[in-house]
Amino acid sequence: MTGPVLVVELPRALSQAALSRLHVLLLSSSTCCEDHGGATFDVSVPGGALGIRSGEGPRPFLVGVGDSVLGTTDDDGEMHVAGLIGFVPTHSITVSAMFNDAVDHTATALLTAAVLDAVGEGVAWAELRYGQESSVAGLEGVIATTTEPPMAYGSAGFLRAWAAQPAFRLVK
């Protein structure tokens, strides 16, 4: 069973330096890191490496670098997300948990925040439960929220602030 997924949208392809920083982050925070050609990584990250106090063992993730998930246009050729985040996304980094326990939701948010810090650019986006927009709108690092569909866009600070909320849970 797969768990939650967060995406970091990027304004351009990762530079070799940013890709190297991502690789270093994944190697240094993981008990196991398989590099599948520099664009996809299988990692096992202990909660302690992310600041999570949990008796659980390392959590498995798939981290992939590729084309933008949101960087498409609608039927009229309009790019709606660019007005929200300040750029037209061309590439993305996807952080996918392989399990769906509460610790996996928190670990996904914190690993994605660390990825944002490592690459030095981008905006994370997360699907929200209906009605949840107002509870995240005032958090540090929120860039934008939408109601249809309910989404939040923000920085690493946003992901950390949201993950610290008592009722935090990503939409799977």
Side-chain angles (χ1 to χ4, degrees), residues 6 8 25 50 95 106-121 124 154-161 163:
L6 285 173
V8 174
L25 166 73
L50 299 169
V95 179
T106 302
T108 301
L110 297 178
L111 180 57
T112 304
V115 164
L116 271 162
D117 290 340
V119 300
E121 66 180 341
S155 67
F158 158 63
L159 293 174
R160 289 184 183 102

Coordinates of all heavy atoms in Angstrom, one line a residue, residues 6 8 25 50 95 106-121 124 154-161 163:
L6 N 3.8 14.3 -1.7 CA 3.9 15.7 -1.9 C 4.8 16.0 -3.1 O 5.7 15.2 -3.4 CB 4.5 16.4 -0.6 CG 3.6 16.5 0.6 CD1 4.4 16.9 1.8 CD2 2.4 17.4 0.3
V8 N 7.1 19.1 -5.1 CA 7.8 20.4 -5.2 C 7.8 20.8 -6.7 O 8.4 20.1 -7.5 CB 9.2 20.3 -4.6 CG1 9.9 21.6 -4.8 CG2 9.2 19.9 -3.2
L25 N 21.7 15.0 0.6 CA 20.6 15.0 1.6 C 20.1 13.6 1.7 O 20.0 13.0 2.8 CB 19.5 15.9 1.2 CG 18.2 15.7 2.0 CD1 18.4 16.1 3.5 CD2 17.0 16.3 1.4
L50 N 14.7 13.1 10.6 CA 13.8 14.2 10.3 C 13.3 14.9 11.5 O 12.4 15.8 11.4 CB 12.6 13.6 9.5 CG 12.9 12.9 8.2 CD1 11.7 12.2 7.7 CD2 13.4 13.9 7.2
V95 N 7.9 13.4 -3.7 CA 8.2 12.6 -2.5 C 7.0 11.7 -2.2 O 6.0 12.2 -1.8 CB 8.6 13.5 -1.3 CG1 9.0 12.7 -0.1 CG2 9.8 14.4 -1.7
T106 N 3.7 12.6 8.5 CA 4.6 13.6 9.1 C 6.0 13.5 8.4 O 6.6 14.5 8.0 CB 4.8 13.4 10.6 OG1 3.5 13.5 11.2 CG2 5.7 14.4 11.2
A107 N 6.5 12.3 8.2 CA 7.8 12.1 7.6 C 7.8 12.6 6.2 O 8.8 13.2 5.7 CB 8.2 10.6 7.7
T108 N 6.7 12.4 5.5 CA 6.6 12.9 4.1 C 6.7 14.5 4.1 O 7.5 15.0 3.2 CB 5.3 12.5 3.4 OG1 5.2 11.1 3.4 CG2 5.2 13.0 2.0
A109 N 6.0 15.1 4.9 CA 6.1 16.6 5.0 C 7.5 17.1 5.4 O 8.0 18.0 4.7 CB 5.1 17.1 6.0
L110 N 8.1 16.4 6.3 CA 9.4 16.9 6.8 C 10.5 16.5 5.8 O 11.4 17.3 5.6 CB 9.7 16.3 8.2 CG 8.8 16.8 9.3 CD1 9.1 16.1 10.6 CD2 8.8 18.3 9.4
L111 N 10.4 15.4 5.1 CA 11.4 15.1 4.1 C 11.2 16.0 2.9 O 12.2 16.5 2.4 CB 11.2 13.6 3.6 CG 12.2 13.2 2.5 CD1 13.7 13.3 3.0 CD2 11.9 11.7 2.2
T112 N 10.0 16.4 2.6 CA 9.8 17.3 1.5 C 10.4 18.7 1.8 O 11.0 19.4 1.0 CB 8.3 17.4 1.1 OG1 7.9 16.1 0.8 CG2 8.1 18.3 -0.1
A113 N 10.2 19.1 3.1 CA 10.8 20.4 3.5 C 12.3 20.3 3.4 O 12.9 21.3 3.0 CB 10.3 20.7 5.0
A114 N 12.9 19.2 3.8 CA 14.3 19.1 3.7 C 14.8 19.1 2.2 O 15.8 19.7 1.9 CB 14.8 17.8 4.4
V115 N 14.0 18.5 1.3 CA 14.3 18.6 -0.1 C 14.2 20.0 -0.6 O 15.1 20.4 -1.3 CB 13.3 17.6 -0.9 CG1 13.3 17.9 -2.4 CG2 13.6 16.2 -0.6
L116 N 13.2 20.7 -0.2 CA 13.1 22.2 -0.6 C 14.4 22.9 -0.1 O 14.9 23.7 -0.9 CB 11.9 22.8 0.0 CG 10.6 22.7 -0.8 CD1 9.4 23.0 0.0 CD2 10.7 23.7 -2.0
D117 N 14.8 22.7 1.1 CA 16.0 23.4 1.6 C 17.2 23.0 0.8 O 18.0 23.8 0.5 CB 16.2 23.0 3.1 CG 15.1 23.6 4.0 OD1 14.5 24.6 3.6 OD2 15.0 23.1 5.2
A118 N 17.3 21.7 0.5 CA 18.5 21.2 -0.2 C 18.6 21.8 -1.6 O 19.7 22.2 -2.0 CB 18.5 19.7 -0.3
V119 N 17.5 21.8 -2.4 CA 17.6 22.3 -3.7 C 17.6 23.8 -3.8 O 18.0 24.4 -4.8 CB 16.5 21.7 -4.7 CG1 16.7 20.2 -4.7 CG2 15.2 22.1 -4.3
G120 N 17.1 24.5 -2.8 CA 17.2 26.0 -2.7 C 16.1 26.7 -3.5 O 16.2 27.9 -3.7
E121 N 15.1 26.1 -4.1 CA 14.1 26.7 -4.8 C 12.9 25.8 -5.0 O 13.0 24.6 -4.6 CB 14.6 27.2 -6.2 CG 14.9 26.0 -7.2 CD 15.4 26.5 -8.5 OE1 15.1 27.7 -8.9 OE2 16.0 25.8 -9.2
A124 N 6.2 23.8 -2.7 CA 5.5 22.5 -2.5 C 4.0 22.8 -2.6 O 3.5 23.8 -2.3 CB 5.8 22.0 -1.1
G154 N 3.2 26.2 -0.7 CA 4.1 26.9 0.3 C 5.5 26.4 0.3 O 6.0 25.6 -0.5
S155 N 6.2 27.0 1.3 CA 7.7 26.8 1.4 C 7.9 25.6 2.4 O 7.0 25.0 2.9 CB 8.3 28.1 2.0 OG 7.8 28.2 3.4
A156 N 9.2 25.4 2.6 CA 9.6 24.4 3.6 C 9.0 24.7 5.0 O 8.6 23.9 5.7 CB 11.1 24.2 3.6
G157 N 9.0 26.0 5.3 CA 8.5 26.5 6.6 C 7.0 26.1 6.7 O 6.6 25.8 7.8
F158 N 6.3 26.3 5.6 CA 4.9 25.9 5.6 C 4.7 24.4 6.0 O 3.9 24.0 6.8 CB 4.2 26.2 4.3 CG 3.0 25.3 4.0 CD1 1.8 25.5 4.9 CD2 2.9 24.4 3.0 CE1 0.7 24.7 4.6 CE2 1.8 23.7 2.8 CZ 0.7 23.8 3.6
L159 N 5.5 23.5 5.3 CA 5.4 22.1 5.6 C 5.7 21.8 7.0 O 5.0 20.9 7.6 CB 6.2 21.3 4.6 CG 5.8 21.4 3.1 CD1 6.9 20.7 2.3 CD2 4.5 20.8 2.9
R160 N 6.7 22.4 7.6 CA 7.1 22.1 9.0 C 6.0 22.6 9.9 O 5.7 22.0 10.9 CB 8.4 22.8 9.3 CG 9.6 22.1 8.6 CD 10.9 22.7 9.0 NE 12.0 22.0 8.3 CZ 12.6 22.5 7.2 NH1 12.3 23.7 6.7 NH2 13.5 21.8 6.6
A161 N 5.5 23.8 9.7 CA 4.4 24.4 10.5 C 3.2 23.5 10.5 O 2.5 23.3 11.5 CB 4.1 25.8 10.1
A163 N 2.9 20.3 9.6 CA 3.2 19.0 10.2 C 3.2 19.1 11.8 O 2.9 18.1 12.4 CB 4.5 18.4 9.7

